[in-house]
Amino acid sequence: MLVSQRVTGARARAPQLAGLLEAWYRHGRTTSSYSALSEPSRVRALVYGNHGDPAKVVHAGVTGTGLTTCDMSAEDRKSGPCVPHRTLRAARRLKNLELTAVEGSDVHVRMLAAPINPSDINMIQGNYGLLPKLPAVGGNEGVGQVIAVGSSVSALKPGDWVIPANAGLGTWRTEAVFSEEALIGIPKDIPLQSAATLGVNPCTAYRMLVDFEQLQPGDSVIQNASNSGVGQAVIQIASALRLKTINVVRDRPDIKKLTDRLKDLGADYVLTEEELRMPETKTIFKDLPLPRLALNCVGGKSSTELLRHLAPGGTMVTYGGMAKQPVTASVSLLIFKDLKLRGFWLSQWKKNHSPDEFKELILTLCNLIRQGRLTAPSCSEVPLQGYQQALEASMKPFVSSKQILTM
């Protein structure tokens, strides 16, 4: 539902929203910066005010648009009166915010495109290692164009493309005013979809491939969730590094189509979870060395199978848990094969490294994109007004196309 009321008008009609709006703007200045403007522009944003199932909670009346009980479902009305943090059918409603002028280190950005990632869904659900204060604008990744900069901004200028420096910025909106330090400038000569999906999955893939094992050309890597955004980036970056990949996916009706697509990206082998358990799989290792690195995004039995195929002394890096099951490693594998279990979270990597190091990583990936060695995952572009469809599609099983909101 698109709401086209001004925040100021909503304040007049719904005084009870004033306290929440004050909290919104006060919180906004920690990641965004707002100052007075004689003629505020309208900004559409996808906002959530409570954690929960995105199909139910991202309808939050949290930005002062004068919601009344008629905007709520019968189930919502049972939960309490019509105040912003209780109007949650909360999970998917576009709100109009007021944007104000830039000053100092502020940067006015018009968002161009922003994907829906699993981490975005987890954050809305409240199941993530980093949670922004509520109410919050959804989206951790995306690309925008600089419209204007404050007087003390030195590294950015109007026309530049920028991506978030860290998670939690809130990219599902048409425009915003952010602080300069919240943004990283990127080259404009790469495709829009590549730019919009640059800051999370390819970075995760690259760091896992180079940080945990000193792999050499000809070495092999095994991974599950190989059709995910990270998985597709791993295939391409590994190919650029002349590494071989063994890629495990869940069986599905269109498995041949998926296999062909991953091989087109550079995958050497594509196996289903069931095929990985078959004795015949050992024949693969007649043609390539046992993998010294395994990348796990699933957990449960899938991760156990990855461990079984690791070379002695190898490392399994876990960066996700799609199966919502623990990683189980047998004592014999740990003792007699000396396997190592590690975890990776890009946000933690950023905390341990400087902004310049992150910028260097981004530029390395941009070079791969220019060379045609790294492309965006299969994407479906959806106008911001179609966010409900995009959210629902992003949570369906066996969907290989990433949903990208275009502004």
Side-chain angles (χ1 to χ4, degrees), residues 102-154:
V102 298
E103 59 183 17
S105 63
D106 295 344
V107 180
H108 179 186
V109 177
R110 179 172 65 87
M111 294 305 300
L112 302 175
I116 300 177
N117 289 320
S119 58
D120 301 322
I121 300 299
N122 293 154
M123 191 172 280
I124 293 168
Q125 293 168 332
N127 300 324
Y128 198 65
L130 183 156
L131 298 175
K133 290 182 180 179
L134 301 181
V137 176
N140 293 299
E141 188 181 28
V143 61
Q145 186 168 37
V146 175
I147 302 301
V149 299
S151 57
S152 62
V153 174
S154 59

Side-chain angles (χ1 to χ4, degrees), residues 1-5 44-47 58-60 65-68 70-72 89 91-96 384-389:
M1 175 179 178
L2 227 72
V3 182
S4 57
Q5 301 167 330
R44 292 177 299 156
L46 185 54
V47 181
V58 185
H59 352 147
T65 51
L67 290 179
T68 64
C70 63
D71 296 295
M72 301 167 60
R89 271 175 82 183
R92 295 184 310 256
R93 189 159 293 170
L94 284 172
K95 299 300 173 190
N96 283 313
L384 190 61
Q385 296 92 323
Y387 59 88
Q388 292 185 353
Q389 166 196 339

Side-chain angles (χ1 to χ4, degrees), residues 121 227 250 252 322 388-401 403:
I121 300 299
N227 61 312
R250 290 180 294 175
R252 64 197 67 206
M322 292 169 55
Q388 292 185 353
Q389 166 196 339
L391 278 172
E392 291 166 2
S394 69
M395 293 185 287
K396 290 180 179 178
F398 303 121
V399 174
S400 300
S401 182
Q403 305 295 302

Side-chain angles (χ1 to χ4, degrees), residues 309-384:
H309 290 86
L310 270 180
T315 300
M316 183 173 78
V317 181
T318 294
Y319 66 97
M322 292 169 55
K324 295 182 171 59
Q325 296 174 357
V327 171
T328 303
S330 71
V331 171
S332 61
L333 289 176
L334 295 176
I335 295 176
F336 302 122
K337 292 185 70 175
D338 190 26
L339 300 183
K340 299 179 284 292
L341 304 181
R342 300 289 303 276
F344 181 82
W345 184 31
L346 184 63
S347 293
Q348 187 62 51
W349 184 90
K350 290 179 182 179
K351 290 179 183 178
N352 297 338
H353 296 79
S354 69
D356 285 343
E357 289 174 293
F358 180 52
K359 176 78 171 186
E360 182 181 354
L361 170 59
I362 291 296
L363 293 178
T364 297
L365 295 170
C366 286
N367 284 334
L368 290 176
I369 293 170
R370 290 192 194 96
Q371 295 166 13
R373 295 184 172 188
L374 179 62
T375 61
S378 175
C379 296
S380 297
E381 293 189 3
V382 181
L384 190 61

Side-chain angles (χ1 to χ4, degrees), residues 233-255:
V234 164
I235 290 170
Q236 296 175 86
I237 296 170
S239 179
L241 297 173
R242 292 187 289 164
L243 304 173
K244 304 294 185 180
T245 56
I246 305 161
N247 303 279
V248 184
V249 297
R250 290 180 294 175
D251 198 5
R252 64 197 67 206
D254 62 343
I255 186 64

Side-chain angles (χ1 to χ4, degrees), residues 33-45:
S33 188
Y34 296 88
S35 56
L37 231 204
S38 58
E39 294 184 5
S41 61
R42 291 185 181 179
V43 180
R44 292 177 299 156

Side-chain angles (χ1 to χ4, degrees), residues 39-97:
E39 294 184 5
S41 61
R42 291 185 181 179
V43 180
R44 292 177 299 156
L46 185 54
V47 181
Y48 60 101
N50 272 1
H51 293 127
D53 180 357
K56 298 178 181 177
V57 280
V58 185
H59 352 147
V62 296
T63 60
T65 51
L67 290 179
T68 64
T69 53
C70 63
D71 296 295
M72 301 167 60
S73 68
E75 181 180 355
D76 294 328
R77 290 196 289 271
K78 292 177 183 177
S79 65
C82 179
V83 294
H85 63 289
R86 301 300 294 274
T87 56
L88 294 219
R89 271 175 82 183
R92 295 184 310 256
R93 189 159 293 170
L94 284 172
K95 299 300 173 190
N96 283 313
L97 312 178

Side-chain angles (χ1 to χ4, degrees), residues 224 248 273 276-277 296 298-307:
N224 55 25
V248 184
E273 299 276 2
L276 185 64
R277 300 185 183 101
N296 169 46
V298 179
K301 293 180 180 179
S302 179
S303 59
T304 302
E305 287 300 317
L306 295 187
L307 285 170

